[in-house]
């Protein structure tokens, strides 16, 4: 879908307005979490799109997302359900997880290795409908071979979220990792 | 080395409680490395077996080479105890 910059506030897609809310980039290798809080996750938008270009410091890990409710992280053992297909690995079907794994499990930290993910978050700020995540990633894994995962996750609670956290299964984000958060105008 | 979270682009140092919680999660992830490696190995092994399943139907005669190949695939997980073992696995060559 073509994106056309129409104003200082954001981008206009063919049928949907995407508003760039924030882009963050790590400048060293000491960052373990990348969060967007209630400054950006507000009732102004119910749906969001996130473009993620990141690399782990530690080889062979996966990228995860969690939500916040009332400023408190949702990390209960049954807070999320996930289904995903991953290239070269068994499919994932788990209705009781404490996070949503949005990338393959073996993202590499070598030269050129990294992961690109498009993440769509639906009903994120709705207290009526469950918040859902659709994700698709392409990456160079820890053996410098292509890996892919696509799938979806759901919050097993009906509360409005007001924050998002991205983190690795282990370790920090490499310097230069970038995440851009867009709000989707209804 | 201190760990940080980037909140809306602003760097904030982890509290001691946050470090402890994250380290517990990371330990759990690291402890699952062998199981993840074995799972991926089995997926590949099963795909290779499936490619020759049709040769093992009751109305087919399986060659000796193919019998050996398929048995090697079935045995490929034997004796593996570490991630390094799994990563060192060499799959047998499919007979012509």
């Amino acid at each position: 879908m073509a994106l056309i910059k129409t104003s200082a506030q954001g981008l206009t897609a063919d049928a949907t307005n995407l508003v760039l809310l924030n882009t963050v980039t790590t400048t060293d290798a000491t960052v373990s979490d990348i969060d967007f809080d209630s400054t950006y996750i507000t009732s102004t938008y119910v749906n969001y799109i996130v473009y993620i270009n990141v690399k782990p410091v530690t080889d062979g890990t996966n990228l995860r997302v969690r939500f916040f409710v009332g400023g408190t992280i949702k990390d209960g053992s049954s807070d999320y359900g996930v289904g995903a297909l991953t290239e070269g690995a068994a499919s994932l079907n788990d209705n009781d997880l404490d996070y949503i794994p949005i990338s393959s499990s073996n993202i590499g930290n070598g030269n050129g290795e990294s992961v690109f993910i498009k993440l769509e978050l639906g009903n994120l700020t709705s207290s009526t409908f469950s918040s859902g995540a659709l994700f698709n990633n392409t990456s160079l894994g820890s053996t410098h071979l292509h890996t892919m995962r696509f799938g979806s996750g759901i919050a097993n609670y009906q509360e409005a979220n007001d924050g998002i956290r991205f983190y690795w299964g282990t370790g920090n984000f490499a310097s230069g990792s970038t995440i851009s958060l867009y709000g989707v105008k209804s | 080395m201190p760990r940080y979270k980037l909140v809306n682009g602003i760097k904030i140092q982890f509290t001691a409680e946050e470090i402890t919680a994250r380290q517990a999660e990371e330990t759990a992830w690291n402890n699952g490395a062998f199981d993840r490696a074995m799972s991926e190995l089995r997926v590949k092994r099963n795909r290779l077996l499936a490619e020759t399943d049709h040769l093992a139907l009751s109305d087919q005669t399986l060659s000796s080479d193919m019998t050996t190949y398929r048995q090697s695939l079935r045995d490929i997980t034997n004796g593996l105890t570490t991630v390094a073992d799994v990563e060192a696995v060499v799959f047998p060559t499919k007979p012509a």
Side-chain angles (χ1 to χ4, degrees):
Chain A
M1 181 181 296
L3 299 176
I4 306 162
K5 184 151 187 164
T6 58
S7 73
Q9 289 186 317
L11 300 169
T12 297
D14 292 341
T16 308
N17 286 333
L18 294 183
V19 178
L20 177 60
L21 301 176
N22 197 4
T23 293
V24 300
T25 302
T26 57
T27 56
D28 58 37
T30 64
V31 172
S32 301
D33 296 343
I34 294 179
D35 296 356
F36 297 100
D37 69 9
S38 58
T39 303
Y40 296 107
I41 310 301
T42 69
S43 58
T44 302
Y45 305 102
V46 69
N47 301 316
Y48 295 80
I49 293 179
V50 190
Y51 287 99
I52 302 165
N53 289 284
V54 295
K55 178 175 185 168
V57 169
T58 305
D59 199 30
T61 186
N62 68 350
L63 190 70
R64 307 166 171 195
V65 65
R66 282 174 172 155
F67 304 144
F68 290 81
V69 172
T72 300
I73 194 78
K74 295 293 287 186
D75 59 359
S77 60
S78 300
D79 276 341
Y80 307 97
V82 178
L85 296 176
T86 306
E87 178 183 6
S91 61
L92 173 63
N93 177 16
D94 196 328
N95 294 318
D96 297 295
L97 281 175
D98 60 342
Y99 60 90
I100 301 175
I102 58 173
S103 81
S104 311
S105 297
N106 61 342
I107 305 303
N109 68 346
N111 186 29
E113 295 174 349
S114 61
V115 59
F116 166 64
I117 305 169
K118 181 184 179 185
L119 172 66
E120 297 181 62
L121 300 171
N123 301 316
L124 190 64
T125 56
S126 170
S127 57
T128 307
F129 296 94
S130 293
S131 302
L134 303 175
F135 49 88
N136 197 345
N137 88 240
T138 181
S139 57
L140 269 181
S142 55
T143 54
H144 214 71
L145 297 174
H146 171 255
T147 64
M148 170 275 292
R149 165 173 283 185
F150 63 89
S152 67
I154 197 82
N156 290 328
Y157 54 87
Q158 279 70 53
E159 295 171 276
N161 297 290
D162 60 0
I164 316 168
R165 167 166 292 167
F166 299 94
Y167 71 105
W168 296 105
T170 186
N172 295 343
F173 289 87
S175 180
S177 295
T178 297
I179 298 180
S180 295
L181 173 69
Y182 294 82
V184 182
K185 286 185 177 178
S186 298
Chain B
M1 180 188 296
R3 301 180 75 166
Y4 296 86
K5 52 188 173 183
L6 207 55
V7 181
N8 304 329
I10 299 169
K11 210 170 165 183
I12 301 170
Q13 189 167 344
F14 267 25
T15 64
E17 185 181 46
E18 287 172 329
I19 291 173
T20 300
R22 182 55 52 83
Q23 286 175 340
E25 282 196 60
E26 292 181 343
T27 297
W29 170 260
N30 293 333
N31 288 344
F34 178 69
D35 289 341
R36 290 192 299 275
M38 286 294 283
S39 177
E40 293 194 13
L41 182 72
R42 289 191 179 98
V43 167
K44 184 173 182 180
R45 184 270 309 277
N46 293 345
R47 179 174 56 78
L48 292 173
L49 275 172
E51 285 178 358
T52 56
D53 275 351
H54 67 285
L55 298 173
L57 294 173
S58 59
D59 59 349
Q60 299 283 326
T61 302
L62 203 58
S63 70
S64 173
D65 286 349
M66 188 57 72
T67 300
T68 300
Y69 169 72
R70 287 172 59 83
Q71 190 59 51
S72 297
L73 289 175
R74 291 190 193 92
D75 294 341
I76 208 158
T77 57
N78 291 352
L80 303 178
T81 58
T82 67
V83 173
D85 289 345
V86 177
E87 290 176 345
V89 163
V90 177
F91 280 85
T93 302
K94 183 179 172 182

